[in-house]
């Protein structure tokens, strides 16, 4: 009995205990291992060490001669021919310091365990780029604290991890949320390299397929019941900065409110780039704003069906852009004489209303973030929300937000409702015979300073928000370099229409510039593709490539095409500028139309007045 021993064998699928004896040969022991794990004789290899050294080969030597004792751990690795690469976890590789390079561009990408990965998921280019970066925060040698040579490192100068909270808190300004890729490094770091880490999307629905009881509402069990949700501040964010390429983009968007007093909504088109101010950060750069069909008043917005939505996304993709977010205004004029706006969104009221949070959650669910570390192939979203509203100085400010992944799940599963009389409060829907809703809680402090858990009926929406800095660059950038302004789509209420009259007027103002600069306007390109007279959707690819790469030769080649010759012929047929069009000055302000039958803009407050009036309806000042 003393000869009986048990050998532990660890494989990528788990560990098993193999009974044996000291006098058993290695060949007989390997046959037991093959039978236990379901391999053929050549489908695996067994090693004495985790780093694949000391292979146990099939021979007649006994286990005692090979110095294998009771309780020893051996390591099994399937051969490449017997299993697919997707079944072998990266965590089976050694974790010693000799096998992990200190700086490697490819080491971080292999941190994601293949057992949780979705190889068929095509991640965004920025995610693929950041996954290959080192991400470490390198520090210089401290002359006062470091007591080593120039090539040495100590605790005062060793590189920090990108998720180091103390470093982020000491930045100016402090960073409350680490970047998403820094969060991934935190999950996949440590000794196990993320072996047990996986990003799970929250579900508020009952799991289907439970056969032990009748379906809801007649029955439910712990297996199919979704877990209760306790709202917490999200430690990371998918986008760390929003940057408009130049002020012109925002000014043209605000022109609608300046002229009508009504609010406006638009989709942000641009690209995701690296944000170097935060370790492994992502920046959403906005190059254009598309304004879909909508009904707008001073206090509300209603989106309408957009038949051109697919064409807009297609054009943006060919220009190297995508839809990165949405923007809306919440502006109320305070003093029309000095051009100030009311400061209404603050800590005493709200930053985003519950209804706006639900809308943001809907858009984020529509534009989910591809992720290999999630079983579903997606996790979170990089879709941002920007609000143009009054700031503390009573000037227009742009504030950026996202809602948390918990909010996205509540919105996706229709569990979150707005409160009618309190815009700063949401309400977790109660269960009904048609839908089971899990309990939603949040924590707050009572009057004695104790942490108390409350049921989210109602719910302060601050628990769902993630704020993002919104900036403009010191040196403006221009993806679309046209100096003239083609009318923006869906602004017929202002008398700004996209037709061949507008195109003829636009081209007549651009006689001295190059053809590439003339066509380098996002709204002009949309009109060329979506107009009903002569749509160029199938023949404009070369021109879009010329604008994308700023290639004047390609633009001149397309200019010689039959399509552009037809466009010029149509423009010459319709003639010059119609009386209902507005003539824009250099600063974007409209001048008074010559025709008295058209709407006119007040020179003092820019409000658009109905024709036939001599005094502004907003400020009561004379037209002249």
């Amino acid at each position: 009995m003393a000869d009986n021993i048990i050998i532990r064998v660890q494989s990528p699928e788990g560990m098993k205990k193999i009974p044996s004896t000291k006098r058993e040969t290695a060949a007989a022991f390997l046959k037991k291992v093959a039978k236990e794990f379901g391999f053929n004789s050549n489908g695996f290899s067994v090693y004495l060490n985790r780093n694949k050294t000391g292979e146990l080969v099939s021979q007649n030597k006994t286990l005692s001669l090979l110095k294998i004792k009771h309780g020893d751990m051996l390591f099994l690795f399937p051969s490449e021919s017997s299993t697919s690469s997707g079944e072998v976890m990266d965590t089976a590789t050694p974790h010693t310091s000799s096998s992990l390079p200190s700086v490697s561009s490819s080491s971080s990408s292999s941190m994601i365990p293949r057992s949780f990965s979705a190889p068929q998921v095509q991640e965004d280019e920025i995610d693929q780029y950041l996954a290959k970066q080192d991400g470490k925060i390198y520090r210089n040698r401290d002359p006062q604290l470091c007591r080593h040579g120039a090539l040495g490192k100590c605790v005062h100068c060793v590189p920090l991890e990108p998720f180091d909270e103390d470093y982020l808190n000491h930045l100016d300004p402090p960073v409350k949320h680490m970047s998403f890729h820094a969060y991934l490094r935190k999950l996949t770091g440590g000794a196990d390299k993320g072996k047990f880490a996986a990003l799970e999307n929250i579900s508020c629905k009952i799991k289907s397929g439970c056969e032990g009881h009748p379906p809801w509402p007649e029955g439910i069990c712990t297996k199919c019941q979704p877990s209760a949700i306790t709202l917490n501040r999200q430690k990371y964010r998918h986008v760390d900065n929003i940057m408009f390429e130049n002020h012109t983009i925002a000014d043209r968007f605000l022109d609608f409110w300046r002229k009508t007093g009504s609010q406006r909504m638009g989709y942000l088109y641009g690209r995701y780039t690296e944000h170097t101010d935060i370790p492994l950060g992502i920046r959403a750069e906005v190059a254009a704003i598309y304004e879909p069909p909508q009904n707008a008043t001073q206090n509300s917005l209603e989106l309408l069906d957009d038949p051109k939505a697919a064409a807009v996304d297609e054009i943006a993709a060919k220009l190297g852009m995508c839809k990165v977010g949405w923007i809306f205004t919440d502006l109320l004029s305070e003093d029309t004489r000095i051009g100030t706006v009311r400061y209404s969104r603050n800590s005493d009221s709200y930053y985003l209303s519950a209804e706006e949070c639900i809308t943001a959650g809907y858009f984020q669910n529509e534009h989910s973030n591809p992720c290999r570390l999630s079983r579903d192939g997606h996790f979170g979203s990089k879709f941002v929300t920007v609000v143009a509203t009054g700031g503390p100085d009573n000037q227009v400010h742009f504030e950026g937000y996202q809602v948390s992944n918990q909010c996205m799940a509540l919105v996706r599963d229709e569990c979150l409702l707005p409160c009618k009389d309190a815009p700063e409060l949401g309400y977790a829907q109660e269960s009904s015979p048609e839908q089971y809703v899990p309990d939603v809680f949040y924590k707050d402090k009572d009057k004695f300073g104790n942490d108390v858990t409350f049921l989210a009926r109602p719910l302060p929406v601050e628990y769902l928000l993630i704020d993002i800095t919104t900036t403009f660059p010191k040196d403006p950038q221009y993806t679309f370099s046209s100096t003239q302004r083609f009318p923006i789509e869906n602004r017929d209420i202002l008398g700004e229409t996209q037709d061949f009259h507008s195109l003829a007027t636009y081209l007549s103002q651009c006689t001295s510039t190059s053809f590439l600069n003339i066509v380098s306007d996002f709204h002009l390109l949309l009109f060329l593709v979506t107009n009903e007279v002569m749509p160029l959707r199938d023949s404009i690819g070369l021109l879009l490539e010329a604008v994308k790469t700023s290639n004047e030769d390609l633009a001149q080649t397309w200019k010689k095409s039959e399509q552009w010759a037809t466009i010029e012929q149509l423009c010459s047929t319709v003639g010059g500028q119609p009386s209902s069009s507005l003539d824009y000055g250099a600063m974007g302000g409209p001048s008074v139309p010559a025709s008295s039958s058209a709407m006119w803009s007040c020179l003092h407050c820019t409000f658009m007045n109905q024709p036939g009036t001599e005094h502004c309806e907003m400020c009561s000042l004379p037209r002249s």
Side-chain angles (χ1 to χ4, degrees):
M1 295 296 294
D3 290 339
N4 294 332
I5 59 176
I6 293 179
I7 308 299
R8 297 176 297 164
V9 180
Q10 186 183 58
S11 75
E13 303 301 327
M15 186 189 71
K16 294 186 179 182
K17 297 179 180 179
I18 310 296
S20 183
T21 63
K22 294 181 179 179
R23 294 185 176 88
E24 187 173 32
T25 62
F29 176 75
L30 290 176
K31 289 182 180 180
K32 287 185 178 181
V33 172
K35 182 179 179 181
E36 188 72 23
F37 284 91
F39 288 105
N40 56 41
S41 58
N42 298 324
F44 67 96
S45 300
V46 176
Y47 300 90
L48 300 178
N49 302 310
R50 188 188 296 270
N51 58 358
K52 294 186 178 181
T53 58
E55 182 178 1
L56 184 64
V57 296
S58 180
Q59 54 185 342
N60 293 325
K61 289 186 178 181
T62 62
L63 298 182
S64 60
L65 291 177
L66 297 174
K67 298 182 179 180
I68 297 177
K69 303 182 296 296
H70 175 69
D72 281 358
M73 174 83 77
L74 303 181
F75 302 93
L76 183 148
F77 293 93
S79 60
E80 295 182 358
S81 59
S82 65
T83 181
S84 62
S85 60
E87 296 174 352
V88 182
M89 294 187 296
D90 290 341
T91 52
T93 56
H95 296 152
T96 59
S97 58
S98 61
S99 63
L100 291 179
S102 58
V103 177
S104 173
S105 61
S106 60
S107 60
S108 59
S109 62
S110 63
M111 290 179 181
I112 298 177
R114 294 180 187 174
S115 59
F116 294 125
S117 64
Q120 71 277 8
V121 174
Q122 180 66 27
E123 293 186 328
D124 294 339
E125 290 184 6
I126 183 62
D127 293 321
Q128 298 179 30
Y129 170 78
L130 291 177
K132 299 176 182 178
Q133 302 306 303
D134 178 35
K136 296 290 186 65
I137 305 167
Y138 290 92
R139 300 182 292 175
N140 296 325
R141 181 178 180 273
D142 193 318
Q144 297 181 348
L145 300 177
C146 295
R147 305 297 182 186
H148 51 74
L151 300 180
K153 292 290 183 183
C154 66
V155 293
H156 304 293
C157 61
V158 69
L160 301 175
E161 295 291 343
F163 48 82
D164 189 277
E165 293 186 5
D166 186 62
Y167 171 82
L168 297 176
N169 291 332
H170 283 82
L171 290 176
D172 186 23
V175 177
K176 295 186 296 183
H177 307 276
M178 70 179 75
S179 66
F180 179 62
H181 280 268
Y183 177 71
L184 292 183
R185 297 293 172 88
K186 187 175 182 178
L187 284 183
T188 56
D192 61 354
K193 294 300 175 189
K195 177 180 179 180
F196 305 104
L199 299 177
E200 295 290 345
N201 290 297
I202 302 172
S203 176
C204 303
K205 292 185 176 181
I206 297 176
K207 296 180 181 178
S208 59
C210 192
E211 301 176 353
H213 55 79
W216 174 264
E218 282 75 19
I220 193 172
C221 68
T222 55
K223 294 181 180 179
C224 61
Q225 180 183 9
S227 302
I229 298 175
T230 300
L231 300 177
N232 299 309
R233 183 179 71 88
Q234 191 164 291
K235 297 181 180 180
Y236 59 90
R237 56 188 177 188
H238 291 270
V239 175
D240 304 281
N241 180 258
I242 305 169
M243 187 186 76
F244 289 84
E245 287 190 345
N246 52 75
H247 286 276
T248 305
I249 300 172
D251 286 338
R252 295 195 67 186
F253 176 72
L254 294 177
D255 277 344
F256 185 90
W257 172 79
R258 293 180 180 132
K259 297 172 183 177
T260 64
S262 299
Q263 309 304 331
R264 195 64 171 168
M265 177 268 183
Y267 291 117
L268 305 176
Y269 280 88
R271 59 191 64 86
Y272 296 107
T273 60
E274 182 182 11
H275 182 47
T276 56
D277 293 346
I278 297 176
L280 300 178
I282 294 178
R283 165 183 286 162
E285 292 187 1
V286 180
I289 300 178
Y290 169 72
E291 301 178 13
Q294 55 195 283
N295 289 331
T297 66
Q298 189 175 357
N299 301 313
S300 65
L301 280 170
E302 179 188 2
L303 290 181
L304 306 177
D305 292 335
D306 186 8
K308 301 179 181 179
V312 177
D313 290 340
E314 180 182 345
I315 295 170
K318 292 182 179 180
L319 290 169
M321 303 190 304
C322 63
K323 191 184 294 183
V324 300
W326 69 300
I327 183 174
F328 65 94
T329 62
D330 182 19
L331 296 168
L332 185 62
S333 181
E334 185 175 69
D335 191 337
T336 56
R337 294 172 299 177
I338 58 178
T340 56
V341 294
R342 184 171 299 175
Y343 178 41
S344 58
R345 293 179 181 249
N346 49 53
S347 58
D348 296 329
S349 57
Y350 58 89
Y351 295 101
L352 277 187
S353 68
E355 191 170 6
E356 292 161 357
C357 288
I358 294 173
T359 306
Y362 170 79
F363 283 137
Q364 289 183 205
N365 282 313
E366 288 289 312
H367 302 83
S368 57
N369 180 53
C371 182
R372 291 181 297 151
L373 197 55
S374 171
R375 298 180 188 272
D376 303 323
H378 61 86
F379 185 78
S381 174
K382 290 197 282 286
F383 201 82
V384 299
T385 300
V386 179
V387 187
T389 185
D393 56 354
N394 297 111
Q395 300 297 319
V396 178
H397 284 231
F398 293 87
E399 307 294 341
Y401 300 98
Q402 278 191 310
V403 294
S404 65
N405 292 359
Q406 290 179 327
C407 179
M408 290 175 59
L410 293 174
V411 172
R412 182 188 64 243
D413 296 333
E414 300 179 353
C415 300
L416 185 62
L417 300 173
C419 290
K420 182 177 181 180
D421 300 325
E424 72 278 4
L425 297 177
Y427 193 88
Q429 188 171 334
E430 300 181 20
S431 296
S432 65
E434 293 77 21
Q435 179 186 9
Y436 175 83
V437 179
D439 291 330
V440 182
F441 302 97
Y442 69 94
K443 292 183 178 181
D444 201 356
K445 293 185 180 295
D446 60 11
K447 61 181 180 179
F448 303 107
N450 301 317
D451 289 333
V452 182
T453 301
F454 296 94
L455 187 63
R457 300 185 182 122
L459 161 69
V461 296
E462 284 79 7
Y463 286 84
L464 310 175
L465 284 181
I466 301 170
D467 58 309
I468 306 174
T469 55
T470 305
T471 57
F472 291 84
K474 292 182 179 179
D475 299 323
Q477 305 172 15
Y478 294 93
T479 298
F480 303 100
S481 56
S482 176
T483 55
Q484 301 298 326
R485 298 184 174 184
F486 190 75
I488 297 177
E489 58 283 338
N490 300 312
R491 286 192 175 186
D492 297 344
I493 190 175
L494 295 180
E496 302 179 18
T497 57
Q498 287 189 344
D499 52 25
F500 281 92
H501 285 283
S502 303
L503 180 57
T505 304
Y506 175 81
L507 295 178
S508 65
Q509 297 171 349
C510 303
T511 55
S512 60
T513 58
S514 65
F515 182 71
L516 179 61
N517 289 334
I518 293 175
V519 297
S520 185
D521 184 287
F522 185 66
H523 307 286
L524 170 62
L525 296 173
L526 290 183
F527 171 72
L528 294 177
V529 171
T530 59
N531 73 87
E532 297 179 355
V533 178
M534 186 181 176
L536 304 178
R537 189 168 185 173
D538 299 329
S539 57
I540 202 174
L542 186 63
L543 180 61
L544 296 178
E545 183 65 24
V547 175
K548 177 183 177 181
T549 58
S550 299
N551 191 324
E552 178 67 32
D553 294 336
L554 282 180
Q556 290 294 336
T557 302
W558 189 85
K559 183 181 179 182
K560 300 175 183 177
S561 64
E562 296 181 1
Q563 291 80 6
W564 181 249
T566 307
I567 293 291
E568 288 183 321
Q569 184 64 32
L570 289 172
C571 291
S572 62
T573 302
V574 298
Q577 181 179 5
S579 59
S580 61
S581 298
L582 294 176
D583 182 19
Y584 284 90
M587 299 304 293
S591 60
V592 180
S595 174
S596 61
S597 62
M599 296 179 65
W600 59 276
S601 174
C602 177
L603 298 176
H604 308 282
C605 68
T606 71
F607 182 77
M608 289 298 298
N609 294 273
Q610 296 297 325
T613 58
E614 296 299 328
H615 290 78
C616 177
E617 298 177 7
M618 178 64 69
C619 65
S620 300
L621 294 175
R623 177 174 180 175
S624 57

